[in-house]
């Protein structure tokens, strides 16, 4: 389902968009694709940051576990 919305853009950005897509281009499709790509990337960065915080918080515990496992495998 699609919802109609209104977006205000600078004249320069709108000019660049129109120049790229041409007279028959679909502004909505281009903007939807761009926003989807932007949000996907932003969500990925947020997940990565969360994962880094978890790893930093648990680094000492993870290092001890890795040492323990390598001891079982005979890598000491």
């Amino acid at each position: 389902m699609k919802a109609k919305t209104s977006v205000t853009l600078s004249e320069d950005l709108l000019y660049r968009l129109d120049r790229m897509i041409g007279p028959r281009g679909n502004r909505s499709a281009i903007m939807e694709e761009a926003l989807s790509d932007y949000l996907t990337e932003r969500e990925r960065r947020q997940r990565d940051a969360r994962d880094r915080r978890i790893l930093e918080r648990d680094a000492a515990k993870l290092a001890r576990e890795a040492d323990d496992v390598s001891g079982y495998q005979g890598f000491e």
Side-chain angles (χ1 to χ4, degrees):
M1 184 174 105
K2 301 256 182 174
K4 193 166 186 92
T5 186
S6 176
V7 176
T8 303
L9 302 172
S10 68
E11 288 181 15
D12 179 60
L13 190 57
L14 190 56
Y15 171 77
R16 290 169 54 200
L17 175 62
D18 287 343
R19 197 174 69 203
M20 178 181 285
I21 65 174
R24 292 196 171 116
N26 184 335
R27 287 178 178 169
S28 293
I30 295 295
M31 292 187 340
E32 184 171 5
E33 179 182 352
L35 183 57
S36 178
D37 289 349
Y38 170 79
L39 292 173
T40 297
E41 176 61 19
R42 187 165 177 151
E43 289 163 349
R44 184 194 62 76
R45 286 193 317 258
Q46 287 175 340
R47 281 192 310 271
D48 289 351
R50 184 197 67 227
D51 291 348
R52 272 192 303 280
R53 285 191 304 272
I54 291 169
L55 288 172
E56 289 167 0
R57 182 191 69 207
D58 297 338
K61 178 183 173 194
L62 293 170
R64 284 191 304 275
E65 289 177 5
D67 287 343
D68 192 37
V69 169
S70 64
Y72 290 129
Q73 295 174 346
F75 293 120
E76 288 187 301

